[in-house]
Structures are given as C-alpha cells and as structure tokens.
Amino acid sequence: MRKAHPVEDLARDERFVRVDIQDRISDPRSVKNSRMRTQARLTPERPDSADAARALMHGIFVGEIQALEGAGRTCWDFETGDGRDEAPFALKLDMARQCWDEARHCEISVKLSDWMGTEIGEFSEGAFLYAAACNPDPVLRLTGVNRALEGLAIDVFNTMREFGEIAGDPVLEFCEDWMLADEVTHVKMGSDWLRRLTADDPERRKDALEFQRIVDKLFSLGGFRSDEDDSPVKLARRFRELAGFDDAEIDEIADLASQALEEARTRQEAAAALASA
Amino acid sequence: MANVVLAPDRWAMVDFDPERVRAIASELADAAGLPADREVVIELNDTSPLGRYSLDSMDPIRVSMESGAFEDPKHPRQLSEGGAAGVLGRLFFRAADRLTDGFAAAPEDADLTPETGIAWEVHAAGRLARTGRQAQRQRWIYHFRNRHGFSDEGDAAFDRLWSADDLTWADIEALSASALAATPA
C-alpha cells in the first residue's frame, strides 16, 4: 500500500461532489448582503436555522470521514520510531484510538442526517481537513489536524450542541455533546504530542505552530468561525482550555479569525466589482 | 397558463437560465391551481447567496427570493431545478390558498409568526409532494419540530398539515397551537 495518499484519490461514490473552499469564500454575492453578518449566529430564531443546521451537520459528516482517513494515514505513512520523519508507537496508538472515535462519529452523523432530513451527499464536500493531514512531518500533521481543525470541530460541535439545547432537540444535543467530548481528547492529543516531540527542537515547534496558524486562519472561513457573538460558529473558549490551549493561544486564534474576515471582505468586494463591471 | 415575469429578467452573479426558471414557474403555477389570467412576478436577488423567500403581494402575485433559494448546494451559483421547483411550488400553493375565502383572515407573510409560517409551509410542501415533485418529508418535520417542539402531539399535527388538501387558515392556526401546547415548558 502506498504512502502519502493524495486528496484527489480519496474514495467517494457518485453522491459526493467536492467544492474548493476558496470558491466559497470568494463568492461575490456575499458582500452586498448587509443582513448576512447580523443574522449569522446559528440559533432557532434564524428563519433559515433548520436548513443551516442541516448543511452544517453535513459538513461535520464529511469532516468525520476525512478525520478517519487522516488519522488512519498517520498510523501507516510513517515508520515507527523517534526520528523527524518517523512516528512513535504511542502516537500511532493515539491515532488508532482516534480512528475508532471518528468511525463512530461517522455513524452518529449519518443517523443525525436521517433525523434532520438530509441525504448523504446533499451538500458539497470540502476536502480541506484531509489536505492538512497530508503534511510529510507527523508533528505538523498533528498540529494542523488535531490542534487547528479538530479545534474548529470543538467550536462547531459546541455551537450545534447549544442549538439543539435551545431548540429542545434531545437527539441533536446529546449526539453533539458526546462527539464534543471526543474532540476535546483529540485536540489534547495534538497539544501533548506537539510539546513532547518538539521539547528539544524549537525550530520544529516554530514550524508546527506556524503551520497551525495558517490552518487556523484559513479555516476561520472568512469570519464564519470567530470570537464575535454574531458569527455562525463561536470560539468555544472553555472547551479549548480543556484541550490544552492557554489564553494567549485562544486570543491568537480570535485575532486570526478577525484578519480572515477582513481579508474575505476585501476579496468579495473585488470579486463583486469584477462581476458588476 | 399564468403570465410569468422575471424581475430582473437576467442575473449577473449567478448562472441561472432565465428561460428554465420561467418554464419551471409556469408549470408550478398551473400545478398549484393559480388562475391562468394572473400575472406572476418573480423577483430574484442575485447579490445574496442566502435562501430566504416570500410571497409579497397578490395582484399581481409577486414572490421574491435570494439566489441561494434556487442554487444547487453542490454546484455554487448553478440552478437547482428541483430546489427552484420546491420553493416556487410552496409559494404558489400558498398564493392559491390566499385566493380562497378560507384564508381571508391570514396575516401578510411579513406578519406571520415563525410557528404559523412553518405550519403553512408544511401544508404547501405536502400538497407539492403529492404532485410528484420535491417531497423531503423528514426535512419538513425537522423544521416543524424546531418551531413547535419535539413531541408526539406535534408530530400528529404535522401529519395532518402534510396529508390534508383543503385546510383553512383557522385549521392551520389551530394545528400549530395544538403542537405548541404539547411542548414541555
């Protein structure tokens, strides 16, 4: 079996269609909708809340598939050892445990999709999580996936859990709560392995944290996830603390999200001007 | 066949074929039972990717929507014919309702409560499904439960809204109220 399986070769059936995330973020239509930001928080009061929750749940589902694929690849892609291009056996055991969690999350997500009236493949798939899991350095891979993207998962699951709680939906609330608990563990694994494997290698730690910053900024999704109350997905500060982030690290993610929002606005204005010309 | 007018008649930010939209609207206007001599104006806002839509007036019948309402969720800025038929069908069934005495007391769309608004949507979606078009029953019961609570009584009210063909506004209000009354405090 080959190593470093590229994102283009992931196995999917005809129900799944991939859409590039930049295509979404740069959509020229967003800029002129002045109501978008003020009505963006996902609460049952939003007129489109049920469909927005269905779309977000589908995004979680495809993310779970890719998280399973990514953790599985990390078990396989590296020889066992302590070298820079190797992965310690204990790290592989953690990734195997994560595979088990992600497989359960896929099954939970399929059942939740049924509950919410969503068909598998009803919405497009972004392959960004797996793309981050293709980094050739296992530490950068865990930093980008476990700390940045599983960190985003914490924010998303917490938002969905709160949505289910407010709407009185016991199925959604409990499913999200259970998955959220697993995600906190996955992020903590990323934090622990980052510190352990780079304890004597400050340059490698610097590279890993820079990779995390890039991923965190890109996947703030133009302000979709931020520390602002009117963002669709809000930073879950408490759960991030439990997952090994300190206050300064959480503040940095909030700053990156603000930058991502401003940059997305600039891109959208340019795209809108082009489309109107 | 109703006279369908698009306003504007083409769009810059989405790749929707105006003739396909017009054809879908004409077919759905007939299926919903709108009178052939009525003008139907479709006002699509292509500057917004969101999916809100509303029935704004009855003479002419004017419906408006953001472009996301017609968009294929798997192909950005492309038309979903099934999705567009779903939105237009529900709007036109509600417009046909408003032309009957049984809906004379119905508030304007903008004044509908979220609960009665979704109850009426469910009644329209059920009738649309029986014409052989977009059904998505589980999607609609999820919408209904989010507005009325998750209870057996609420599901029974949903079943009546979905399966009936001739409810009045008073029936819709009563079914919505019965579902809400069963919601745990």
Side-chain angles (χ1 to χ4, degrees), chain B:
Chain B
M1 182 177 284
N3 176 31
V4 176
V5 177
L6 303 181
D9 60 3
R10 58 179 57 83
W11 307 284
M13 293 194 181
V14 291
D15 191 17
F16 297 172
D17 178 354
E19 287 314 309
R20 280 306 302 150
V21 173
R22 200 191 312 273
I24 293 165
S26 296
E27 187 188 327
L28 267 300
D30 287 348
L34 292 179
D37 60 350
R38 283 284 178 138
E39 182 172 275
V40 176
V41 180
I42 297 173
E43 200 170 315
L44 188 142
N45 173 10
D46 69 331
T47 66
S48 167
L50 300 187
R52 283 175 284 221
Y53 54 90
S54 58
L55 172 59
D56 301 330
S57 72
M58 288 299 298
D59 193 15
I61 295 169
R62 179 179 291 271
V63 296
S64 62
M65 66 282 305
E66 297 169 308
S67 64
F70 285 4
E71 184 177 23
D72 182 341
K74 293 202 275 194
H75 298 94
R77 297 182 287 285
Q78 302 298 309
L79 178 67
S80 163
E81 297 205 0
V87 169
L88 290 170
R90 293 192 299 277
L91 285 167
F92 291 165
F93 268 106
R94 292 204 292 109
D97 288 342
R98 284 190 182 278
L99 294 172
T100 66
D101 292 341
F103 283 81
E108 297 295 314
D109 261 32
D111 298 325
L112 291 169
T113 64
E115 292 80 16
T116 54
I118 197 68
W120 198 357
E121 282 277 288
V122 166
H123 183 43
R127 285 175 289 168
L128 180 66
R130 284 189 289 286
T131 71
R133 296 173 179 84
Q134 188 185 56
Q136 296 184 305
R137 186 179 185 281
Q138 190 63 27
R139 171 192 172 199
W140 286 104
I141 197 169
Y142 181 67
H143 276 249
F144 188 78
R145 286 166 169 168
N146 266 286
R147 294 286 176 220
H148 292 87
F150 292 70
S151 69
D152 291 343
E153 293 85 350
D155 286 1
F158 172 88
D159 285 339
R160 174 86 179 116
L161 288 161
W162 182 267
S163 59
D165 285 317
D166 53 0
L167 298 180
T168 64
W169 174 245
D171 294 330
I172 289 172
E173 278 190 306
L175 286 164
S176 175
S178 72
L180 284 171
T183 306

Side-chain angles (χ1 to χ4, degrees), chain A residues 17-81:
Chain A
V17 173
R18 287 208 190 115
V19 173
D20 190 281
I21 190 171
Q22 289 300 341
D23 198 28
R24 291 272 188 218
I25 294 174
S26 302
D27 189 329
R29 292 174 297 170
S30 304
V31 69
K32 292 191 177 176
N33 189 339
S34 59
R35 292 177 295 177
M36 196 167 180
R37 286 291 298 166
T38 54
Q39 294 190 358
R41 180 90 193 272
L42 183 59
T43 67
E45 284 70 41
R46 247 174 73 169
D48 65 339
S49 59
D51 276 339
R54 291 191 320 113
L56 191 52
M57 191 59 233
H58 193 276
I60 290 171
F61 164 58
V62 294
E64 299 294 356
I65 298 172
Q66 290 172 37
L68 169 58
E69 291 167 324
R73 293 308 310 185
T74 299
C75 289
W76 172 256
D77 284 351
F78 305 104
E79 297 300 322
T80 303

Side-chain angles (χ1 to χ4, degrees), chain A residues 194-230:
Chain A
L194 166 69
R195 288 177 183 126
R196 199 180 306 177
L197 294 181
T198 64
D200 300 318
D201 191 344
E203 194 63 28
R204 193 180 188 192
R205 177 174 293 186
K206 182 167 160 277
D207 290 347
L209 291 173
E210 179 57 25
F211 183 57
Q212 182 189 327
R213 270 190 287 276
I214 292 167
V215 177
D216 268 327
K217 186 173 180 182
L218 187 57
F219 299 107
S220 291
L221 305 172
F224 181 80
R225 182 275 304 273
S226 83
D227 213 15
E228 306 296 324
D229 284 338
D230 64 347

Side-chain angles (χ1 to χ4, degrees), chain A residues 75-142:
Chain A
C75 289
W76 172 256
D77 284 351
F78 305 104
E79 297 300 322
T80 303
D82 295 325
R84 182 156 183 161
D85 57 353
E86 296 174 328
F89 184 69
L91 185 153
K92 292 188 175 187
L93 275 182
D94 274 351
M95 292 298 99
R97 176 252 158 94
Q98 186 172 332
C99 285
W100 180 48
D101 289 345
E102 307 296 6
R104 278 188 293 107
H105 294 184
C106 289
E107 294 198 339
I108 291 170
S109 300
V110 168
K111 290 183 188 300
L112 264 178
S113 294
D114 286 344
W115 170 251
M116 298 165 87
T118 306
E119 292 175 19
I120 291 175
E122 183 174 334
F123 302 93
S124 61
E125 176 184 16
F128 55 82
L129 192 149
Y130 184 80
C134 291
N135 196 293
D137 184 329
V139 171
L140 270 66
R141 192 178 285 196
L142 258 72

